[in-house]
Amino acid sequence: MSVTDDAPTRERVATSILEHGPSTAAALAEGLGLTAAAVRRHLEQLLADGVVRQREPRALAGRGRGRPAKVFMITDAGRDTFAHAYDDLAADALRFLRESGGDEAVAAFARRRMREFAGRYRSLVEQADPADRPGALAEALSADGYAASVGSTPAGEQICQHHCPVAHVAGEFPQLCEAETEMFAELLDTHVQRLATIAHGDGVCTTHLPAARPTQSTQSTNALHTERVSP
């Protein structure tokens, strides 16, 4: 099989790592329906090309018997191989805006940009059941190239964006990330907290959504039930 023939499958391997975060060769083989040997061959080429790098899994490093499985993650150069919505021209335009109007002008631009996104996302989010709205937002973000997913934690949920089309620009202009966080809070009608961003060197943009609290009516019903069953 030629290198050209291998390219689409190698791109699938890289895309899987981009979308799901650091992955072992075994997990990639299972998720993509490939043999372990095929995945290792593609990973070796991706390593040589600087698209991915490998490290010890944090949870397993130094523990147990035998050598822990390596995990593979996308490099900054690897992210550059995926399409970016903004280039040097966008950064130059924002620099000019900052010089002429200050940081508030950049923030105003970022908020207006997010209003356009919110206008497209709102109906998709509002049509979903409340519990499914983070997932609906993640799907909308993925359609715009953010490779987003939702995960659960004891404290609530997290929206994880494994790719950021504007990461290079947002690294210099954090107002873009701040406006996006405000949009999440507005669409989901809850307080959210940005925990990590690709623009600042993290592997994934992570936004925490607190666990839903019982409504007043639910609390009253529970209290009434408690009174009825109390001896």
Side-chain angles (χ1 to χ4, degrees), residues 67 94 100 104 107 112 122-123 130 135 138 147 160-161 179 214:
R67 178 179 298 177
L94 286 175
S100 58
E104 182 51 40
R112 186 180 72 176
R122 191 177 307 281
S123 61
C160 297
Q161 296 157 261

Side-chain angles (χ1 to χ4, degrees), residues 30-217:
E30 181 178 358
L32 297 172
L34 300 172
T35 65
V39 168
R40 284 195 294 270
R41 185 178 73 249
H42 291 303
L43 287 172
E44 287 175 1
Q45 187 60 51
L46 290 169
L47 285 166
D49 293 341
V51 175
V52 303
R53 64 184 178 88
Q54 63 181 6
R55 64 166 171 76
E56 300 286 347
R58 292 192 180 95
L60 299 178
R63 298 182 182 180
R65 296 180 178 178
R67 178 179 298 177
K70 301 281 188 181
V71 295
F72 297 85
M73 55 195 301
I74 294 290
T75 63
D76 288 341
R79 293 184 191 280
D80 289 340
T81 66
F82 293 87
H84 285 278
Y86 283 79
D87 55 11
D88 290 341
L89 179 61
D92 286 342
L94 286 175
R95 292 185 192 108
F96 176 81
L97 183 61
R98 181 174 59 192
E99 291 169 3
S100 58
D103 287 337
E104 182 51 40
V106 177
F109 166 80
R111 287 193 293 269
R112 186 180 72 176
R113 179 175 179 271
M114 285 299 105
R115 280 198 297 271
E116 295 174 357
F117 277 70
R120 292 190 288 109
Y121 295 168
R122 191 177 307 281
S123 61
L124 297 173
V125 173
E126 291 182 348
Q127 288 172 9
D129 291 336
D132 298 331
R133 287 177 181 175
L137 177 55
E139 289 183 11
L141 289 165
S142 293
D144 278 332
Y146 288 86
S149 62
V150 177
S152 297
T153 72
E157 293 183 298
Q158 291 182 347
I159 293 180
C160 297
Q161 296 157 261
H162 301 278
H163 181 56
C164 177
V166 298
H168 288 238
V169 181
E172 183 175 351
F173 298 96
Q175 294 93 334
L176 297 174
C177 296
E178 293 165 3
E180 184 182 70
T181 304
E182 293 172 2
M183 179 190 70
F184 288 2
E186 177 189 344
L187 290 176
L188 298 175
D189 192 24
T190 185
H191 169 74
V192 304
Q193 182 180 7
R194 184 59 62 90
L195 302 180
T197 63
I198 293 172
H200 293 106
D202 301 303
V204 178
C205 292
T206 305
T207 304
H208 175 71
L209 316 176
R213 295 181 177 179
T215 63
Q216 185 63 39
S217 60

